[in-house]
Amino acid sequence: MSAIRLLVLGAVRQHGRAHGYQVRNDLEYWGAHEWSNAKPGSIYHALKQMAKQGLLHAHEIAPSTAGGPPRTEYEITDWGTDEYLRLLREALTSYDQKMDVKSAAIGFIVDLPRAEAVTLLKERTRRIGEWRASVTEHYVPEDGPEQLGHIGEIMNLWIHTADAEAEWTQGLIARIEGGAYTFAGEGEPFVGVLVEGEENPYATGEKHPGDAR
Amino acid sequence: MSAIRLLVLGAVRQHGRAHGYQVRNDLEYWGAHEWSNAKPGSIYHALKQMAKQGLLHAHEIAPSTAGGPPRTEYEITDWGTDEYLRLLREALTSYDQKMDVKSAAIGFIVDLPRAEAVTLLKERTRRIGEWRASVTEHYVPEDGPEQLGHIGEIMNLWIHTADAEAEWTQGLIARIEGGAYTFAGEGEPFVGVLVEGEENPYATGEKHPGDAR
DNA sequence: CCCTTGCTAGTCAAACTTGATTACCAGTCG
DNA sequence: CGACTGGTAATCAAGTTTGACTAGCAAGGG
């Protein structure tokens, strides 16, 4: 799974209705251009693709306030919301060790009810354990690990990484069970988007004027 | 950086001269189809691309012993060897947290002299530290981390992951300095390819007859 | 007034990735 | 022997990702 659809769906959903540039700015605000493939091209492509597939509804309009070409606004459909939640749940449970997907999933975890988040994360640790077992069992040759030479270091790395992640996941579960953060249906949600016209306090310093210069 | 070029260059190099199917089998032997994007299409594409760019030399020939279409054999050029080593060094030093690149790099690390491997890995830990510092500093808002809400968990994950990797890297450095494994110029190298006609003792069970059935 | 700078918004070609599909040959089973 | 299975070797179309490029408008400077 690539992170882009999850990110874009999540961003559009938080806005209710958004055009490409708004999504792009949100993702930049989240720093997503640094830890995922959220480049302009990918974002616009994802929007179009998902509109074509019926996950988003495209309002062909708006000759754009404040310069630039006419823009299309997108709204998430019911289908799209289902898909969003499906992607989010999958990203939270499956152990595929891609940082971008994980990061996005955590960013959106509060869109789920607290109890479900905990359940999914527990399932995640279970799967990490399962994967760990399959690696240690499957990859070690019958005649002892010495056969592997330096190749054994690869598995060593995998195990090390998996263990670290399992540990982190346990910690997160504990914090969530301990009442941290505000989840779906618990009142005033965390706001993670820029309101129209508001300035981006984060950013990398530069905005993206012309994108390359 | 994608892992495919590194993997393909490394495979061709170990053979001296190889055709696509051979490379494909090596990568499967290494399990690379499971932890990287080493699918047939990508492999053949990479071979052609790199031949076009002069990293490989293509011998248009060989109407294939034992069935199948005529095959092209590739040989790595000097340019290609340089590029291979450059990619390998980059993969070893830079902290970009992509499992496939890391795994490939470790698999090929013994193509470098022992001393250089150690130097590169030390540089890697240095960069991890640097990155860690930039995350803790850059991403925490002025008015305290409470502002971040659950978003702080993302950084928490990053830090956790980076620490685990730094730890693992330290361990690897220690083992290498302690004399483990056989590096470039230290005699009989570790053999990680199938000799022509030899059977693959690993594999996932299935070979790839027709690839989809 | 016109020309540069800079932001808004998006397009495009080229490269890469994916999964399915093709073509050829050898053995073998009835 | 003829049909089928299975391995060898590669191609192809469709989809994705990338990085560079375009175009509109506004503000300010000279």
Side-chain angles (χ1 to χ4, degrees):
Chain A
M1 183 174 74
S2 131
I4 192 77
R5 283 172 165 246
L6 182 57
L7 285 167
V8 170
L9 282 174
V12 171
R13 203 177 98 105
Q14 284 192 22
H15 273 292
R17 185 192 254 239
H19 52 90
Y21 196 67
Q22 234 163 16
V23 171
R24 187 178 164 183
N25 267 329
D26 278 358
L27 297 194
E28 186 190 352
Y29 178 49
W30 301 340
H33 55 299
E34 293 190 339
W35 48 263
S36 81
N37 59 340
K39 316 263 171 19
S42 302
I43 295 169
Y44 287 109
H45 174 73
L47 283 169
K48 274 186 189 157
Q49 204 63 19
M50 294 197 292
K52 207 165 76 181
Q53 290 170 23
L55 304 181
L56 296 176
H57 181 259
H59 300 267
E60 291 282 353
I61 33 152
S64 117
T65 41
R71 61 206 198 181
T72 311
E73 291 196 325
Y74 296 91
E75 220 166 347
I76 196 166
T77 62
D78 291 349
W79 216 118
T81 303
D82 287 355
E83 175 69 0
Y84 168 66
L85 293 173
R86 197 188 64 69
L87 288 175
L88 178 53
R89 290 187 179 112
E90 192 194 320
L92 283 171
T93 49
S94 78
Y95 178 57
D96 65 348
Q97 82 237 61
K98 297 218 173 158
M99 256 313 165
D100 54 354
V101 177
K102 269 183 277 195
S103 301
I106 299 161
F108 293 132
I109 196 174
V110 293
D111 281 347
L112 297 171
R114 183 180 298 266
E116 185 179 4
V118 169
T119 308
L120 295 174
L121 288 173
K122 282 186 176 163
E123 170 65 10
R124 179 181 195 85
T125 54
R126 198 189 64 71
R127 296 217 195 156
I128 295 175
E130 203 175 72
W131 180 85
R132 187 191 201 286
S134 88
V135 167
T136 47
E137 172 229 316
H138 185 71
Y139 274 85
V140 174
E142 308 79 41
D143 21 3
E146 311 80 40
Q147 298 296 312
L148 290 171
H150 70 285
I151 295 298
E153 291 290 349
I154 297 179
M155 278 154 275
N156 193 228
L157 167 63
W158 291 349
I159 298 296
H160 212 88
T161 307
D163 288 349
E165 199 182 318
E167 195 188 305
W168 171 83
T169 310
Q170 296 292 358
L172 179 55
I173 292 172
R175 285 188 289 281
I176 295 178
E177 283 182 327
Y181 317 123
T182 307
F183 284 76
E186 299 180 352
E188 212 55 45
F190 182 87
V191 177
V193 295
L194 269 3
V195 186
E196 182 103 36
E198 195 183 333
E199 207 180 341
N200 182 346
Y202 168 75
T204 342
E206 320 85 33
K207 295 215 108 175
H208 27 69
D211 291 332
R213 198 157 287 173
Chain B
M1 183 173 73
S2 134
I4 192 77
R5 283 171 165 245
L6 181 57
L7 284 167
V8 170
L9 282 174
V12 171
R13 203 177 99 105
Q14 283 190 23
H15 273 290
R17 187 193 253 240
H19 52 90
Y21 197 67
Q22 236 162 14
V23 171
R24 185 178 163 182
N25 268 329
D26 279 359
L27 297 194
E28 185 189 353
Y29 178 49
W30 302 339
H33 54 298
E34 292 191 339
W35 49 263
S36 79
N37 59 338
K39 318 262 168 22
S42 301
I43 295 169
Y44 287 106
H45 174 72
L47 283 169
K48 276 189 186 153
Q49 204 62 17
M50 293 196 294
K52 209 167 74 182
Q53 291 170 23
L55 304 182
L56 297 174
H57 181 258
H59 299 266
E60 289 283 353
I61 33 151
S64 116
T65 41
R71 60 204 199 183
T72 311
E73 292 195 325
Y74 296 91
E75 221 167 346
I76 195 165
T77 62
D78 291 349
W79 214 120
T81 303
D82 287 355
E83 175 69 0
Y84 168 66
L85 294 173
R86 198 187 64 71
L87 287 174
L88 179 52
R89 291 188 179 110
E90 192 193 320
L92 283 171
T93 49
S94 78
Y95 178 57
D96 65 349
Q97 81 236 62
K98 297 219 173 156
M99 256 313 166
D100 54 354
V101 176
K102 270 184 277 196
S103 301
I106 298 161
F108 293 132
I109 195 173
V110 293
D111 281 346
L112 297 171
R114 185 180 297 268
E116 185 179 3
V118 170
T119 308
L120 295 174
L121 289 173
K122 283 186 175 164
E123 169 67 8
R124 181 182 193 82
T125 53
R126 197 190 64 71
R127 295 218 196 156
I128 295 175
E130 203 175 71
W131 181 85
R132 189 193 200 286
S134 89
V135 168
T136 48
E137 172 230 315
H138 185 73
Y139 275 83
V140 174
E142 307 80 42
D143 21 1
E146 311 81 40
Q147 298 296 312
L148 290 170
H150 71 286
I151 295 299
E153 290 292 348
I154 297 180
M155 280 155 275
N156 192 229
L157 167 63
W158 291 349
I159 298 295
H160 212 88
T161 307
D163 287 349
E165 199 182 317
E167 195 188 305
W168 170 82
T169 309
Q170 295 292 356
L172 179 55
I173 291 173
R175 287 188 288 281
I176 295 178
E177 282 183 328
Y181 317 122
T182 307
F183 283 77
E186 299 179 351
E188 212 55 48
F190 181 88
V191 177
V193 296
L194 269 4
V195 186
E196 183 102 36
E198 194 183 335
E199 207 180 341
N200 181 347
Y202 168 76
T204 342
E206 320 86 32
K207 295 215 110 175
H208 26 70
D211 290 331
R213 197 155 287 172

